[in-house]
Amino acid sequence: AQTVTQSQPEMSVQEAETVTLSCTYDTSESNYYLFWYKQPPSRQMILVIRQEAYKQQNATENRFSVNFQKAAKSFSLKISDSQLGDTAMYFCAFMSTNTGNQFYFGTGTSLTVIP
Amino acid sequence: DAGVIQSPRHEVTEMGQEVTLRCKPISGHNSLFWYRQTMMRGLELLIYFNNNVPIDDSGMPEDRFSAKMPNASFSTLKIQPSEPRDSAVYFCASSLALGTYEQYFGPGTRLTVT
C-alpha cells in the first residue's frame, strides 16, 4: 500500500522569506506522480505543482519548486518570497498509474505566513 | 470553465435523514472522484468513476453511502440514513482521464449531522 507522510503539522515563515515543507512516501511502484495541493481557509483545494517520477528535473512553478529525491522517496516543497496569501494547509499527494490511479494524501502541513 | 461545481455548499440535517450531495465535473473530464475530509482521518477517497462507471468504491465506509453518475456531467453522493459521525467536508474532483492527469477539486460541501 502507498503511504504519504508529512511530518510537520504546523510551520510558520516571515513574509518574503523561504520555507520548505517536507513529504516522504512509501511505494514499490516505479511509475507514479507526486503533487502538492494548497487548501486556504476558503477550503478550496488548489493544485500547486506536480512531478512525474520518471523526470529527474525538479518541477518549478513561479515561487514554488520541489526537491524530488526518488531514491530517498522524498518530495519537499519550497516556497520562495513567501506571501500572506500562501497561508494555507498544504497536502502532498501520490498517484500511481499501476494501482488504480488513486490519490493518496498526506495529513497536511498548516503554513502561516507572518507579516 | 467554471471548474468543478458542488452543491449545496453547506448542509445541516438531523440524524436519520437522507442527504444528497451533488457534483458537476469540468466539461470534458472523464474521471470523477468523491473524497471526505475530517480532522481525524484527513482526506479519504470514497469512490471514483471513469466514463460514468464506478471503478473502485472500496473507500465507501458503509452501505449507508451510495454514489451514482448517470451521465458525464453529474454525480451524486447519497447518505441514508445519516449519522453524526458523517459530519465532514465532502469534496468532488474531476480529472481529464485516469492515469497521468491531476485532479481538480470542487469547493466542497460541509455536512453537519446533528
Side-chain angles (χ1 to χ4, degrees):
Chain A
Q2 275 63 238
T3 59
V4 179
T5 302
Q6 293 179 251
S7 59
Q8 306 153 313
E10 296 181 354
M11 294 191 71
S12 62
V13 62
Q14 291 289 139
E15 192 176 6
E17 296 295 307
T18 295
V19 65
T20 299
L21 309 182
S22 301
C23 173
T24 58
Y25 57 95
D26 187 21
T27 184
S28 58
E29 304 294 330
S30 58
N31 188 21
Y32 54 88
Y33 298 80
L34 296 161
F35 305 86
W36 278 98
Y37 280 86
K38 168 185 176 182
Q39 187 178 38
S42 67
R43 208 175 63 210
Q44 178 78 50
M45 291 284 284
I46 303 166
L47 177 67
V48 175
I49 200 166
R50 62 175 271 169
Q51 173 80 42
E52 294 88 342
Y54 63 84
K55 289 187 178 179
Q56 293 187 345
Q57 185 174 8
N58 290 324
T60 299
E61 287 288 340
N62 301 314
R63 298 182 296 107
F64 299 88
S65 61
V66 299
N67 183 5
F68 175 47
Q69 302 288 330
K70 190 172 183 179
K73 297 180 181 176
S74 171
F75 182 60
S76 61
L77 175 70
K78 185 171 81 171
I79 305 175
S80 304
D81 186 25
S82 297
Q83 301 176 359
L84 297 179
D86 296 334
T87 293
M89 281 288 287
Y90 286 82
F91 292 93
C92 178
F94 168 98
M95 184 191 78
S96 167
T97 59
N98 297 327
T99 54
N101 304 284
Q102 292 189 37
F103 267 48
Y104 296 87
F105 284 89
T107 51
T109 295
S110 177
L111 176 67
T112 301
V113 179
I114 303 168
Chain B
D1 197 313
V4 176
I5 299 172
Q6 289 186 248
S7 65
R9 292 295 307 276
H10 303 274
E11 177 79 36
V12 180
T13 190
E14 292 184 348
M15 182 174 63
Q17 297 298 306
E18 177 180 295
V19 175
T20 299
L21 310 182
R22 298 172 176 81
C23 175
K24 177 180 168 57
I26 293 173
S27 177
H29 282 195
N30 295 322
S31 302
L32 184 140
F33 305 79
W34 281 101
Y35 291 89
R36 177 172 67 176
Q37 185 179 34
T38 62
M39 289 294 293
M40 292 295 293
R41 300 172 70 91
L43 269 161
E44 302 174 277
L45 177 66
L46 300 177
I47 185 172
Y48 69 95
F49 297 82
N50 191 47
N51 293 324
N52 311 337
V53 176
I55 303 299
D56 188 341
D57 65 354
S58 59
M60 297 285 261
E62 298 172 35
D63 291 344
R64 299 184 295 107
F65 287 69
S66 62
K68 294 182 180 179
M69 192 165 186
N71 56 62
S73 60
F74 184 66
S75 177
T76 59
L77 178 67
K78 184 178 294 186
I79 308 172
Q80 166 62 20
S82 58
E83 296 182 4
R85 59 196 170 111
D86 301 332
S87 297
V89 179
Y90 291 81
F91 286 100
C92 175
S94 72
S95 176
L96 192 60
L98 292 182
T100 63
Y101 301 98
E102 53 267 32
Q103 297 177 16
Y104 293 87
F105 284 74
T109 295
R110 181 176 292 280
L111 173 65
T112 302
V113 183
T114 60

